[in-house]
Amino acid sequence: MSELIAEPSTTVAPPKNHGARAWELMYEIFKASKPYVESVASSFELTPQQVYALKGLQRDRPLVMSDLATFLGCDASNVTAIVDKLESRGLVERRSADRDRRVKALLLTPAGQDVLDRINDRMQLPPPAINNLDASDKVTLCEVLGRALDSLNAS
Amino acid sequence: MSELIAEPSTTVAPPKNHGARAWELMYEIFKASKPYVESVASSFELTPQQVYALKGLQRDRPLVMSDLATFLGCDASNVTAIVDKLESRGLVERRSADRDRRVKALLLTPAGQDVLDRINDRMQLPPPAINNLDASDKVTLCEVLGRALDSLNAS
DNA sequence: TATTGTTATACTCTATAACTATA
DNA sequence: TATAGTTATAGAGTATAACAATA
């Protein structure tokens, strides 16, 4: 199958390959889903980034500040403020490691675990664009996006 | 086919439906692609939002300020600053409509059209996660994401 | 009065650089 | 010296509210 979408040469738009088109569609869906994401976060009186940080802490192994920065894909300097807010809400606790007191482990408090459980419940319902797909399209999307993400870790 | 991913009951994570999982994967791919998007934009000395605004202006019909706000999915008050920057770069021109002088049409200048052409060329190559997919996965992704986006316009 | 675009302001998210306390 | 985290600062992107010009 051709990599290019066949289009009459009289069309104004240039021919576009499917990879570029898929990326454009992902961008559109993301933009359209932003109000949904923000409404979910604000229903917990959190920002989307704070929600995502909590999700990073649900792992089996406790994260330290720099791990959370990697998980969030942002600079470590920002994580201080994010964790400050979560800590002031009583959702997260900083604990200095005994072996190296520079390092701070991040632990969910019971209240934090409770909020996270409710967030996870709520997030079982994805934004409308995704939720409107039929079951087989959802499965297909998981498979293809899974391969896309795996291709990054493999290289 | 079941909507739920079958998992042993001893698994720590709760069972997750494919819609929620697909959304999570999209989020991961977006996060991983951010450096790529920023490098493309900054190679034109533009921010990602400015690039996206230019792309909005390549339509057959000229946009006015409020149209661009809708296209960008942000409040109209922000579009003023975005267009200010593009105008100061000589890429875009504001022109008051004759029939209603409150309304300002946005036009690409020749320089703006030239930059946009180069942006479109460059964007034929999507971020690595998408580009690494094989041709048939790219086509499938276009089809499924197209249906997802259509479902929003249909409702 | 209502609408288009602007200005003023504030908050989130982000990065860089300088700092501290440990190692 | 080097590293983990913090603080200070700045810029992009966002929203709300008040405003000017025009309808």
Side-chain angles (χ1 to χ4, degrees):
Chain A
M1 186 177 293
S2 165
E3 181 64 21
L4 297 178
I5 296 171
E7 283 190 316
S9 61
T10 53
T11 301
V12 172
K16 181 166 292 178
N17 69 55
H18 287 96
R21 179 63 184 148
W23 178 244
E24 224 173 62
L25 288 165
M26 275 187 64
Y27 196 98
E28 291 293 321
I29 290 169
F30 236 81
K31 189 182 67 180
S33 299
K34 203 171 52 169
Y36 177 86
V37 169
E38 278 166 0
S39 77
V40 169
S42 73
S43 75
F44 295 100
E45 297 182 276
L46 295 168
T47 66
Q49 187 74 314
Q50 287 164 358
V51 167
Y52 199 57
L54 284 178
K55 285 179 76 68
L57 297 174
Q58 75 189 319
R59 305 303 164 91
D60 28 16
R61 177 177 60 90
L63 299 184
V64 302
M65 297 292 285
S66 58
D67 293 333
L68 186 53
T70 302
F71 177 76
L72 295 174
C74 71
D75 189 85
S77 61
N78 301 302
V79 177
T80 298
I82 292 169
V83 171
D84 281 350
K85 280 173 201 139
L86 293 174
E87 198 169 34
S88 73
R89 285 276 301 271
L91 304 179
V92 160
E93 187 193 332
R94 279 176 173 96
R95 188 173 299 175
S96 288
D98 290 334
R99 52 176 183 81
D100 182 345
R101 288 178 31 235
R102 292 174 303 181
V103 173
K104 290 178 186 166
L106 299 172
L107 302 165
L108 280 178
T109 64
Q113 185 62 59
D114 180 64
V115 167
L116 179 56
D117 288 344
R118 287 188 288 134
I119 287 170
N120 282 330
D121 265 9
R122 179 77 181 273
M123 288 196 165
Q124 289 302 303
L125 185 65
I130 303 301
N131 194 52
N132 290 343
L133 289 172
D134 66 30
S136 90
D137 270 352
K138 286 174 184 166
V139 171
T140 301
L141 195 52
C142 279
E143 291 168 349
V144 174
L145 294 178
R147 285 194 282 274
L149 202 54
D150 285 346
S151 79
L152 297 180
N153 302 327
S155 64
Chain B
M1 186 179 295
S2 166
E3 181 64 21
L4 297 178
I5 296 170
E7 284 189 314
S9 60
T10 50
T11 301
V12 172
K16 179 164 295 180
N17 69 57
H18 287 96
R21 180 61 185 148
W23 177 244
E24 225 172 63
L25 288 166
M26 275 187 64
Y27 197 97
E28 291 294 322
I29 290 170
F30 235 81
K31 190 182 64 179
S33 301
K34 204 172 51 169
Y36 177 86
V37 169
E38 279 166 358
S39 76
V40 169
S42 72
S43 75
F44 295 100
E45 295 181 278
L46 295 168
T47 66
Q49 186 74 312
Q50 288 166 356
V51 168
Y52 198 57
L54 284 179
K55 285 180 75 67
L57 297 176
Q58 74 189 319
R59 304 304 163 90
D60 30 13
R61 179 177 58 88
L63 299 183
V64 302
M65 297 292 285
S66 58
D67 293 332
L68 186 53
T70 302
F71 177 76
L72 295 173
C74 71
D75 190 85
S77 61
N78 301 302
V79 177
T80 297
I82 292 170
V83 171
D84 281 350
K85 279 173 202 140
L86 292 175
E87 199 170 32
S88 74
R89 284 276 302 272
L91 305 178
V92 161
E93 186 193 332
R94 281 176 171 96
R95 188 172 300 174
S96 289
D98 290 334
R99 50 175 186 79
D100 182 345
R101 288 176 33 231
R102 291 174 304 182
V103 173
K104 290 180 185 162
L106 299 172
L107 303 166
L108 280 178
T109 63
Q113 186 61 58
D114 180 65
V115 168
L116 179 55
D117 289 344
R118 287 189 289 135
I119 287 170
N120 283 330
D121 264 8
R122 179 76 180 272
M123 288 194 165
Q124 290 302 304
L125 184 67
I130 303 301
N131 194 52
N132 289 344
L133 289 172
D134 66 30
S136 92
D137 270 352
K138 286 175 185 164
V139 171
T140 301
L141 195 52
C142 278
E143 290 168 349
V144 174
L145 293 177
R147 285 193 282 276
L149 202 54
D150 286 346
S151 79
L152 296 179
N153 302 326
S155 63

